[in-house]
Amino acid sequence: MKRRDLLRHLERHGCQFLREGGAHTVYVNRAVAKATTIPRHNEIDEHLARRICKDLEVPKP
């Protein structure tokens, strides 16, 4: 899955950008007080995308 598509999906479900790290971006879902990192690759593996959504408690893409 494309990284930008995953970020759009997360933002549609209430997640917000928190900060940039060295090789990752940190997103947070303040409604459930959860945060996770997203690697800065153009393509993100489907299993990793599902895990990120699970960590942030949003529906799977």
Side-chain angles (χ1 to χ4, degrees):
M1 141 175 268
K2 294 284 187 186
R3 181 176 189 269
R4 67 176 176 257
D5 295 336
L6 176 61
L7 296 181
R8 273 192 217 122
H9 174 75
L10 295 176
E11 289 173 357
R12 271 187 256 131
H13 289 92
C15 298
Q16 299 171 334
F17 169 82
L18 183 63
R19 64 182 171 85
E20 292 282 343
H24 293 82
T25 302
V26 179
Y27 264 73
V28 64
N29 186 347
R30 295 185 195 279
V32 293
K34 301 282 183 167
T36 193
T37 59
I38 301 166
R40 282 199 227 150
H41 301 272
N42 289 332
E43 285 287 329
I44 295 178
D45 184 59
E46 292 294 326
H47 298 290
L48 180 57
R50 284 196 298 266
R51 182 61 192 201
I52 289 168
C53 291
K54 184 178 178 182
D55 287 348
L56 293 172
E57 297 184 13
V58 299
K60 295 178 174 111

PDB file of all heavy atoms in Angstrom, residues 2-36:
ATOM      1  N   LYS A   2       0.471   2.256  -0.677  1.00  0.00           N
ATOM      2  CA  LYS A   2       1.222   3.507  -0.708  1.00  0.00           C
ATOM      3  C   LYS A   2       1.145   4.201   0.651  1.00  0.00           C
ATOM      4  O   LYS A   2       0.102   4.197   1.304  1.00  0.00           O
ATOM      5  CB  LYS A   2       0.660   4.449  -1.775  1.00  0.00           C
ATOM      6  CG  LYS A   2       0.847   3.950  -3.194  1.00  0.00           C
ATOM      7  CD  LYS A   2       2.252   4.140  -3.630  1.00  0.00           C
ATOM      8  CE  LYS A   2       2.385   3.790  -5.102  1.00  0.00           C
ATOM      9  NZ  LYS A   2       3.749   3.831  -5.530  1.00  0.00           N
ATOM     10  N   ARG A   3       2.235   4.802   1.054  1.00  0.00           N
ATOM     11  CA  ARG A   3       2.306   5.477   2.343  1.00  0.00           C
ATOM     12  C   ARG A   3       1.293   6.601   2.436  1.00  0.00           C
ATOM     13  O   ARG A   3       0.605   6.753   3.439  1.00  0.00           O
ATOM     14  CB  ARG A   3       3.722   6.020   2.548  1.00  0.00           C
ATOM     15  CG  ARG A   3       3.929   6.714   3.874  1.00  0.00           C
ATOM     16  CD  ARG A   3       5.385   7.135   4.028  1.00  0.00           C
ATOM     17  NE  ARG A   3       5.645   7.602   5.356  1.00  0.00           N
ATOM     18  CZ  ARG A   3       5.531   8.878   5.727  1.00  0.00           C
ATOM     19  NH1 ARG A   3       5.194   9.782   4.851  1.00  0.00           N
ATOM     20  NH2 ARG A   3       5.780   9.228   6.969  1.00  0.00           N
ATOM     21  N   ARG A   4       1.168   7.376   1.371  1.00  0.00           N
ATOM     22  CA  ARG A   4       0.238   8.510   1.414  1.00  0.00           C
ATOM     23  C   ARG A   4      -1.208   8.042   1.553  1.00  0.00           C
ATOM     24  O   ARG A   4      -2.014   8.707   2.203  1.00  0.00           O
ATOM     25  CB  ARG A   4       0.431   9.408   0.201  1.00  0.00           C
ATOM     26  CG  ARG A   4       0.038   8.781  -1.102  1.00  0.00           C
ATOM     27  CD  ARG A   4       0.173   9.764  -2.262  1.00  0.00           C
ATOM     28  NE  ARG A   4      -0.124   9.082  -3.495  1.00  0.00           N
ATOM     29  CZ  ARG A   4       0.765   8.675  -4.372  1.00  0.00           C
ATOM     30  NH1 ARG A   4       2.039   8.923  -4.170  1.00  0.00           N
ATOM     31  NH2 ARG A   4       0.402   8.031  -5.463  1.00  0.00           N
ATOM     32  N   ASP A   5      -1.549   6.895   0.978  1.00  0.00           N
ATOM     33  CA  ASP A   5      -2.898   6.346   1.129  1.00  0.00           C
ATOM     34  C   ASP A   5      -3.159   5.929   2.573  1.00  0.00           C
ATOM     35  O   ASP A   5      -4.248   6.152   3.110  1.00  0.00           O
ATOM     36  CB  ASP A   5      -3.107   5.153   0.195  1.00  0.00           C
ATOM     37  CG  ASP A   5      -3.064   5.550  -1.273  1.00  0.00           C
ATOM     38  OD1 ASP A   5      -3.327   6.729  -1.587  1.00  0.00           O
ATOM     39  OD2 ASP A   5      -2.753   4.671  -2.100  1.00  0.00           O
ATOM     40  N   LEU A   6      -2.158   5.334   3.207  1.00  0.00           N
ATOM     41  CA  LEU A   6      -2.297   4.947   4.612  1.00  0.00           C
ATOM     42  C   LEU A   6      -2.463   6.181   5.497  1.00  0.00           C
ATOM     43  O   LEU A   6      -3.324   6.208   6.374  1.00  0.00           O
ATOM     44  CB  LEU A   6      -1.090   4.130   5.071  1.00  0.00           C
ATOM     45  CG  LEU A   6      -1.075   3.735   6.547  1.00  0.00           C
ATOM     46  CD1 LEU A   6      -2.290   2.872   6.895  1.00  0.00           C
ATOM     47  CD2 LEU A   6       0.213   3.019   6.895  1.00  0.00           C
ATOM     48  N   LEU A   7      -1.680   7.222   5.242  1.00  0.00           N
ATOM     49  CA  LEU A   7      -1.788   8.442   6.050  1.00  0.00           C
ATOM     50  C   LEU A   7      -3.155   9.090   5.892  1.00  0.00           C
ATOM     51  O   LEU A   7      -3.754   9.559   6.865  1.00  0.00           O
ATOM     52  CB  LEU A   7      -0.673   9.423   5.680  1.00  0.00           C
ATOM     53  CG  LEU A   7       0.747   8.946   5.980  1.00  0.00           C
ATOM     54  CD1 LEU A   7       1.758  10.015   5.586  1.00  0.00           C
ATOM     55  CD2 LEU A   7       0.912   8.552   7.432  1.00  0.00           C
ATOM     56  N   ARG A   8      -3.683   9.107   4.673  1.00  0.00           N
ATOM     57  CA  ARG A   8      -5.032   9.648   4.435  1.00  0.00           C
ATOM     58  C   ARG A   8      -6.077   8.839   5.200  1.00  0.00           C
ATOM     59  O   ARG A   8      -6.990   9.405   5.798  1.00  0.00           O
ATOM     60  CB  ARG A   8      -5.367   9.635   2.948  1.00  0.00           C
ATOM     61  CG  ARG A   8      -4.898  10.849   2.236  1.00  0.00           C
ATOM     62  CD  ARG A   8      -5.516  10.923   0.846  1.00  0.00           C
ATOM     63  NE  ARG A   8      -4.500  11.458  -0.027  1.00  0.00           N
ATOM     64  CZ  ARG A   8      -4.020  10.877  -1.112  1.00  0.00           C
ATOM     65  NH1 ARG A   8      -4.510   9.735  -1.518  1.00  0.00           N
ATOM     66  NH2 ARG A   8      -3.076  11.426  -1.812  1.00  0.00           N
ATOM     67  N   HIS A   9      -5.934   7.517   5.170  1.00  0.00           N
ATOM     68  CA  HIS A   9      -6.864   6.634   5.883  1.00  0.00           C
ATOM     69  C   HIS A   9      -6.838   6.935   7.381  1.00  0.00           C
ATOM     70  O   HIS A   9      -7.890   7.045   8.021  1.00  0.00           O
ATOM     71  CB  HIS A   9      -6.487   5.170   5.616  1.00  0.00           C
ATOM     72  CG  HIS A   9      -7.275   4.194   6.414  1.00  0.00           C
ATOM     73  ND1 HIS A   9      -8.578   3.884   6.121  1.00  0.00           N
ATOM     74  CD2 HIS A   9      -6.936   3.459   7.512  1.00  0.00           C
ATOM     75  CE1 HIS A   9      -9.019   2.995   7.010  1.00  0.00           C
ATOM     76  NE2 HIS A   9      -8.036   2.718   7.854  1.00  0.00           N
ATOM     77  N   LEU A  10      -5.647   7.075   7.936  1.00  0.00           N
ATOM     78  CA  LEU A  10      -5.526   7.356   9.367  1.00  0.00           C
ATOM     79  C   LEU A  10      -6.140   8.703   9.719  1.00  0.00           C
ATOM     80  O   LEU A  10      -6.854   8.832  10.721  1.00  0.00           O
ATOM     81  CB  LEU A  10      -4.055   7.315   9.789  1.00  0.00           C
ATOM     82  CG  LEU A  10      -3.350   5.961   9.683  1.00  0.00           C
ATOM     83  CD1 LEU A  10      -1.886   6.116  10.044  1.00  0.00           C
ATOM     84  CD2 LEU A  10      -4.023   4.915  10.548  1.00  0.00           C
ATOM     85  N   GLU A  11      -5.885   9.712   8.907  1.00  0.00           N
ATOM     86  CA  GLU A  11      -6.408  11.047   9.190  1.00  0.00           C
ATOM     87  C   GLU A  11      -7.929  11.092   9.072  1.00  0.00           C
ATOM     88  O   GLU A  11      -8.591  11.814   9.818  1.00  0.00           O
ATOM     89  CB  GLU A  11      -5.740  12.078   8.287  1.00  0.00           C
ATOM     90  CG  GLU A  11      -4.287  12.290   8.687  1.00  0.00           C
ATOM     91  CD  GLU A  11      -3.498  13.171   7.740  1.00  0.00           C
ATOM     92  OE1 GLU A  11      -4.055  13.608   6.708  1.00  0.00           O
ATOM     93  OE2 GLU A  11      -2.311  13.409   8.037  1.00  0.00           O
ATOM     94  N   ARG A  12      -8.501  10.315   8.151  1.00  0.00           N
ATOM     95  CA  ARG A  12      -9.966  10.246   8.027  1.00  0.00           C
ATOM     96  C   ARG A  12     -10.602   9.641   9.272  1.00  0.00           C
ATOM     97  O   ARG A  12     -11.768   9.913   9.552  1.00  0.00           O
ATOM     98  CB  ARG A  12     -10.375   9.420   6.810  1.00  0.00           C
ATOM     99  CG  ARG A  12     -10.502  10.239   5.564  1.00  0.00           C
ATOM    100  CD  ARG A  12     -11.074   9.436   4.430  1.00  0.00           C
ATOM    101  NE  ARG A  12      -9.955   9.129   3.548  1.00  0.00           N
ATOM    102  CZ  ARG A  12      -9.646   7.947   3.064  1.00  0.00           C
ATOM    103  NH1 ARG A  12     -10.400   6.914   3.302  1.00  0.00           N
ATOM    104  NH2 ARG A  12      -8.592   7.778   2.305  1.00  0.00           N
ATOM    105  N   HIS A  13      -9.850   8.835   9.982  1.00  0.00           N
ATOM    106  CA  HIS A  13     -10.375   8.188  11.179  1.00  0.00           C
ATOM    107  C   HIS A  13      -9.892   8.854  12.465  1.00  0.00           C
ATOM    108  O   HIS A  13      -9.862   8.225  13.526  1.00  0.00           O
ATOM    109  CB  HIS A  13     -10.024   6.693  11.158  1.00  0.00           C
ATOM    110  CG  HIS A  13     -10.804   5.945  10.137  1.00  0.00           C
ATOM    111  ND1 HIS A  13     -10.332   5.747   8.855  1.00  0.00           N
ATOM    112  CD2 HIS A  13     -12.030   5.391  10.182  1.00  0.00           C
ATOM    113  CE1 HIS A  13     -11.238   5.088   8.162  1.00  0.00           C
ATOM    114  NE2 HIS A  13     -12.282   4.857   8.948  1.00  0.00           N
ATOM    115  N   GLY A  14      -9.501  10.095  12.401  1.00  0.00           N
ATOM    116  CA  GLY A  14      -9.222  10.883  13.595  1.00  0.00           C
ATOM    117  C   GLY A  14      -7.793  10.882  14.094  1.00  0.00           C
ATOM    118  O   GLY A  14      -7.521  11.453  15.144  1.00  0.00           O
ATOM    119  N   CYS A  15      -6.870  10.256  13.389  1.00  0.00           N
ATOM    120  CA  CYS A  15      -5.474  10.260  13.821  1.00  0.00           C
ATOM    121  C   CYS A  15      -4.798  11.554  13.367  1.00  0.00           C
ATOM    122  O   CYS A  15      -5.178  12.144  12.363  1.00  0.00           O
ATOM    123  CB  CYS A  15      -4.740   9.058  13.248  1.00  0.00           C
ATOM    124  SG  CYS A  15      -5.417   7.497  13.829  1.00  0.00           S
ATOM    125  N   GLN A  16      -3.791  11.970  14.114  1.00  0.00           N
ATOM    126  CA  GLN A  16      -3.100  13.213  13.822  1.00  0.00           C
ATOM    127  C   GLN A  16      -1.594  12.995  13.793  1.00  0.00           C
ATOM    128  O   GLN A  16      -1.060  12.170  14.540  1.00  0.00           O
ATOM    129  CB  GLN A  16      -3.408  14.260  14.895  1.00  0.00           C
ATOM    130  CG  GLN A  16      -4.857  14.601  15.003  1.00  0.00           C
ATOM    131  CD  GLN A  16      -5.119  15.475  16.221  1.00  0.00           C
ATOM    132  OE1 GLN A  16      -4.376  15.446  17.201  1.00  0.00           O
ATOM    133  NE2 GLN A  16      -6.187  16.248  16.153  1.00  0.00           N
ATOM    134  N   PHE A  17      -0.940  13.776  12.949  1.00  0.00           N
ATOM    135  CA  PHE A  17       0.519  13.807  12.894  1.00  0.00           C
ATOM    136  C   PHE A  17       1.033  14.349  14.219  1.00  0.00           C
ATOM    137  O   PHE A  17       0.533  15.348  14.726  1.00  0.00           O
ATOM    138  CB  PHE A  17       0.952  14.710  11.731  1.00  0.00           C
ATOM    139  CG  PHE A  17       2.409  15.035  11.731  1.00  0.00           C
ATOM    140  CD1 PHE A  17       3.324  14.146  11.209  1.00  0.00           C
ATOM    141  CD2 PHE A  17       2.870  16.228  12.253  1.00  0.00           C
ATOM    142  CE1 PHE A  17       4.678  14.444  11.205  1.00  0.00           C
ATOM    143  CE2 PHE A  17       4.213  16.535  12.257  1.00  0.00           C
ATOM    144  CZ  PHE A  17       5.118  15.635  11.729  1.00  0.00           C
ATOM    145  N   LEU A  18       2.036  13.683  14.797  1.00  0.00           N
ATOM    146  CA  LEU A  18       2.621  14.161  16.050  1.00  0.00           C
ATOM    147  C   LEU A  18       4.003  14.753  15.811  1.00  0.00           C
ATOM    148  O   LEU A  18       4.262  15.894  16.166  1.00  0.00           O
ATOM    149  CB  LEU A  18       2.685  13.035  17.074  1.00  0.00           C
ATOM    150  CG  LEU A  18       3.204  13.392  18.454  1.00  0.00           C
ATOM    151  CD1 LEU A  18       2.283  14.400  19.125  1.00  0.00           C
ATOM    152  CD2 LEU A  18       3.349  12.157  19.315  1.00  0.00           C
ATOM    153  N   ARG A  19       4.906  13.964  15.179  1.00  0.00           N
ATOM    154  CA  ARG A  19       6.254  14.468  14.921  1.00  0.00           C
ATOM    155  C   ARG A  19       6.965  13.570  13.912  1.00  0.00           C
ATOM    156  O   ARG A  19       6.533  12.459  13.640  1.00  0.00           O
ATOM    157  CB  ARG A  19       7.072  14.526  16.210  1.00  0.00           C
ATOM    158  CG  ARG A  19       7.324  13.182  16.827  1.00  0.00           C
ATOM    159  CD  ARG A  19       8.095  13.305  18.144  1.00  0.00           C
ATOM    160  NE  ARG A  19       8.153  12.048  18.835  1.00  0.00           N
ATOM    161  CZ  ARG A  19       9.063  11.099  18.615  1.00  0.00           C
ATOM    162  NH1 ARG A  19      10.011  11.281  17.720  1.00  0.00           N
ATOM    163  NH2 ARG A  19       9.036   9.974  19.285  1.00  0.00           N
ATOM    164  N   GLU A  20       8.065  14.077  13.387  1.00  0.00           N
ATOM    165  CA  GLU A  20       8.928  13.322  12.482  1.00  0.00           C
ATOM    166  C   GLU A  20      10.132  12.836  13.273  1.00  0.00           C
ATOM    167  O   GLU A  20      10.692  13.567  14.069  1.00  0.00           O
ATOM    168  CB  GLU A  20       9.443  14.213  11.341  1.00  0.00           C
ATOM    169  CG  GLU A  20       8.395  14.668  10.369  1.00  0.00           C
ATOM    170  CD  GLU A  20       7.989  13.604   9.364  1.00  0.00           C
ATOM    171  OE1 GLU A  20       8.711  12.617   9.196  1.00  0.00           O
ATOM    172  OE2 GLU A  20       6.928  13.771   8.764  1.00  0.00           O
ATOM    173  N   GLY A  21      10.515  11.598  13.033  1.00  0.00           N
ATOM    174  CA  GLY A  21      11.721  11.059  13.637  1.00  0.00           C
ATOM    175  C   GLY A  21      12.795  10.939  12.571  1.00  0.00           C
ATOM    176  O   GLY A  21      12.664  11.499  11.480  1.00  0.00           O
ATOM    177  N   GLY A  22      13.831  10.189  12.841  1.00  0.00           N
ATOM    178  CA  GLY A  22      14.909  10.024  11.878  1.00  0.00           C
ATOM    179  C   GLY A  22      14.472   9.304  10.622  1.00  0.00           C
ATOM    180  O   GLY A  22      14.719   9.749   9.513  1.00  0.00           O
ATOM    181  N   ALA A  23      13.799   8.179  10.787  1.00  0.00           N
ATOM    182  CA  ALA A  23      13.354   7.393   9.642  1.00  0.00           C
ATOM    183  C   ALA A  23      11.878   7.050   9.736  1.00  0.00           C
ATOM    184  O   ALA A  23      11.377   6.268   8.948  1.00  0.00           O
ATOM    185  CB  ALA A  23      14.171   6.110   9.556  1.00  0.00           C
ATOM    186  N   HIS A  24      11.174   7.626  10.727  1.00  0.00           N
ATOM    187  CA  HIS A  24       9.772   7.322  10.945  1.00  0.00           C
ATOM    188  C   HIS A  24       8.967   8.589  11.195  1.00  0.00           C
ATOM    189  O   HIS A  24       9.522   9.615  11.571  1.00  0.00           O
ATOM    190  CB  HIS A  24       9.595   6.406  12.163  1.00  0.00           C
ATOM    191  CG  HIS A  24      10.157   5.046  11.965  1.00  0.00           C
ATOM    192  ND1 HIS A  24      11.498   4.767  12.123  1.00  0.00           N
ATOM    193  CD2 HIS A  24       9.580   3.882  11.609  1.00  0.00           C
ATOM    194  CE1 HIS A  24      11.705   3.486  11.880  1.00  0.00           C
ATOM    195  NE2 HIS A  24      10.556   2.926  11.563  1.00  0.00           N
ATOM    196  N   THR A  25       7.674   8.476  11.002  1.00  0.00           N
ATOM    197  CA  THR A  25       6.722   9.523  11.346  1.00  0.00           C
ATOM    198  C   THR A  25       5.858   8.972  12.465  1.00  0.00           C
ATOM    199  O   THR A  25       5.475   7.813  12.437  1.00  0.00           O
ATOM    200  CB  THR A  25       5.846   9.861  10.129  1.00  0.00           C
ATOM    201  OG1 THR A  25       6.694  10.269   9.057  1.00  0.00           O
ATOM    202  CG2 THR A  25       4.876  10.977  10.441  1.00  0.00           C
ATOM    203  N   VAL A  26       5.547   9.793  13.446  1.00  0.00           N
ATOM    204  CA  VAL A  26       4.730   9.355  14.572  1.00  0.00           C
ATOM    205  C   VAL A  26       3.331   9.941  14.415  1.00  0.00           C
ATOM    206  O   VAL A  26       3.172  11.150  14.244  1.00  0.00           O
ATOM    207  CB  VAL A  26       5.350   9.780  15.923  1.00  0.00           C
ATOM    208  CG1 VAL A  26       4.474   9.338  17.080  1.00  0.00           C
ATOM    209  CG2 VAL A  26       6.757   9.215  16.055  1.00  0.00           C
ATOM    210  N   TYR A  27       2.332   9.047  14.455  1.00  0.00           N
ATOM    211  CA  TYR A  27       0.928   9.452  14.414  1.00  0.00           C
ATOM    212  C   TYR A  27       0.281   9.039  15.720  1.00  0.00           C
ATOM    213  O   TYR A  27       0.660   8.051  16.340  1.00  0.00           O
ATOM    214  CB  TYR A  27       0.204   8.792  13.237  1.00  0.00           C
ATOM    215  CG  TYR A  27       0.138   9.687  12.028  1.00  0.00           C
ATOM    216  CD1 TYR A  27       1.261   9.929  11.263  1.00  0.00           C
ATOM    217  CD2 TYR A  27      -1.041  10.303  11.658  1.00  0.00           C
ATOM    218  CE1 TYR A  27       1.224  10.755  10.168  1.00  0.00           C
ATOM    219  CE2 TYR A  27      -1.101  11.131  10.555  1.00  0.00           C
ATOM    220  CZ  TYR A  27       0.028  11.356   9.815  1.00  0.00           C
ATOM    221  OH  TYR A  27      -0.021  12.192   8.727  1.00  0.00           O
ATOM    222  N   VAL A  28      -0.734   9.808  16.134  1.00  0.00           N
ATOM    223  CA  VAL A  28      -1.405   9.564  17.401  1.00  0.00           C
ATOM    224  C   VAL A  28      -2.919   9.604  17.192  1.00  0.00           C
ATOM    225  O   VAL A  28      -3.416  10.370  16.364  1.00  0.00           O
ATOM    226  CB  VAL A  28      -0.958  10.590  18.465  1.00  0.00           C
ATOM    227  CG1 VAL A  28      -1.350  11.990  18.100  1.00  0.00           C
ATOM    228  CG2 VAL A  28      -1.480  10.236  19.832  1.00  0.00           C
ATOM    229  N   ASN A  29      -3.620   8.741  17.920  1.00  0.00           N
ATOM    230  CA  ASN A  29      -5.075   8.771  17.968  1.00  0.00           C
ATOM    231  C   ASN A  29      -5.418   9.233  19.377  1.00  0.00           C
ATOM    232  O   ASN A  29      -5.393   8.455  20.320  1.00  0.00           O
ATOM    233  CB  ASN A  29      -5.665   7.391  17.674  1.00  0.00           C
ATOM    234  CG  ASN A  29      -7.174   7.422  17.579  1.00  0.00           C
ATOM    235  OD1 ASN A  29      -7.804   8.392  17.945  1.00  0.00           O
ATOM    236  ND2 ASN A  29      -7.746   6.338  17.090  1.00  0.00           N
ATOM    237  N   ARG A  30      -5.711  10.512  19.522  1.00  0.00           N
ATOM    238  CA  ARG A  30      -5.926  11.089  20.848  1.00  0.00           C
ATOM    239  C   ARG A  30      -7.211  10.581  21.508  1.00  0.00           C
ATOM    240  O   ARG A  30      -7.316  10.581  22.728  1.00  0.00           O
ATOM    241  CB  ARG A  30      -5.938  12.606  20.761  1.00  0.00           C
ATOM    242  CG  ARG A  30      -4.584  13.166  20.341  1.00  0.00           C
ATOM    243  CD  ARG A  30      -4.559  14.679  20.379  1.00  0.00           C
ATOM    244  NE  ARG A  30      -3.420  15.224  19.671  1.00  0.00           N
ATOM    245  CZ  ARG A  30      -2.202  15.323  20.164  1.00  0.00           C
ATOM    246  NH1 ARG A  30      -1.948  14.890  21.370  1.00  0.00           N
ATOM    247  NH2 ARG A  30      -1.226  15.847  19.443  1.00  0.00           N
ATOM    248  N   ALA A  31      -8.173  10.140  20.731  1.00  0.00           N
ATOM    249  CA  ALA A  31      -9.434   9.642  21.286  1.00  0.00           C
ATOM    250  C   ALA A  31      -9.215   8.409  22.164  1.00  0.00           C
ATOM    251  O   ALA A  31      -9.924   8.210  23.148  1.00  0.00           O
ATOM    252  CB  ALA A  31     -10.414   9.317  20.166  1.00  0.00           C
ATOM    253  N   VAL A  32      -8.239   7.583  21.805  1.00  0.00           N
ATOM    254  CA  VAL A  32      -7.962   6.373  22.577  1.00  0.00           C
ATOM    255  C   VAL A  32      -6.569   6.404  23.199  1.00  0.00           C
ATOM    256  O   VAL A  32      -6.119   5.402  23.757  1.00  0.00           O
ATOM    257  CB  VAL A  32      -8.135   5.097  21.719  1.00  0.00           C
ATOM    258  CG1 VAL A  32      -9.584   4.914  21.329  1.00  0.00           C
ATOM    259  CG2 VAL A  32      -7.247   5.125  20.508  1.00  0.00           C
ATOM    260  N   ALA A  33      -5.887   7.533  23.091  1.00  0.00           N
ATOM    261  CA  ALA A  33      -4.550   7.729  23.676  1.00  0.00           C
ATOM    262  C   ALA A  33      -3.553   6.677  23.197  1.00  0.00           C
ATOM    263  O   ALA A  33      -2.862   6.043  23.990  1.00  0.00           O
ATOM    264  CB  ALA A  33      -4.629   7.764  25.195  1.00  0.00           C
ATOM    265  N   LYS A  34      -3.479   6.480  21.881  1.00  0.00           N
ATOM    266  CA  LYS A  34      -2.550   5.515  21.282  1.00  0.00           C
ATOM    267  C   LYS A  34      -1.674   6.237  20.267  1.00  0.00           C
ATOM    268  O   LYS A  34      -2.114   7.163  19.593  1.00  0.00           O
ATOM    269  CB  LYS A  34      -3.317   4.403  20.563  1.00  0.00           C
ATOM    270  CG  LYS A  34      -4.256   3.624  21.428  1.00  0.00           C
ATOM    271  CD  LYS A  34      -3.515   2.631  22.264  1.00  0.00           C
ATOM    272  CE  LYS A  34      -4.514   1.818  23.078  1.00  0.00           C
ATOM    273  NZ  LYS A  34      -3.962   0.669  23.668  1.00  0.00           N
ATOM    274  N   ALA A  35      -0.422   5.779  20.156  1.00  0.00           N
ATOM    275  CA  ALA A  35       0.507   6.343  19.183  1.00  0.00           C
ATOM    276  C   ALA A  35       1.287   5.207  18.533  1.00  0.00           C
ATOM    277  O   ALA A  35       1.464   4.140  19.135  1.00  0.00           O
ATOM    278  CB  ALA A  35       1.462   7.318  19.852  1.00  0.00           C
ATOM    279  N   THR A  36       1.743   5.431  17.315  1.00  0.00           N
ATOM    280  CA  THR A  36       2.567   4.445  16.619  1.00  0.00           C
ATOM    281  C   THR A  36       3.464   5.150  15.617  1.00  0.00           C
ATOM    282  O   THR A  36       3.237   6.301  15.273  1.00  0.00           O
ATOM    283  CB  THR A  36       1.689   3.375  15.925  1.00  0.00           C
ATOM    284  OG1 THR A  36       2.514   2.294  15.518  1.00  0.00           O
ATOM    285  CG2 THR A  36       0.976   3.944  14.719  1.00  0.00           C
TER     286      THR A  36
END
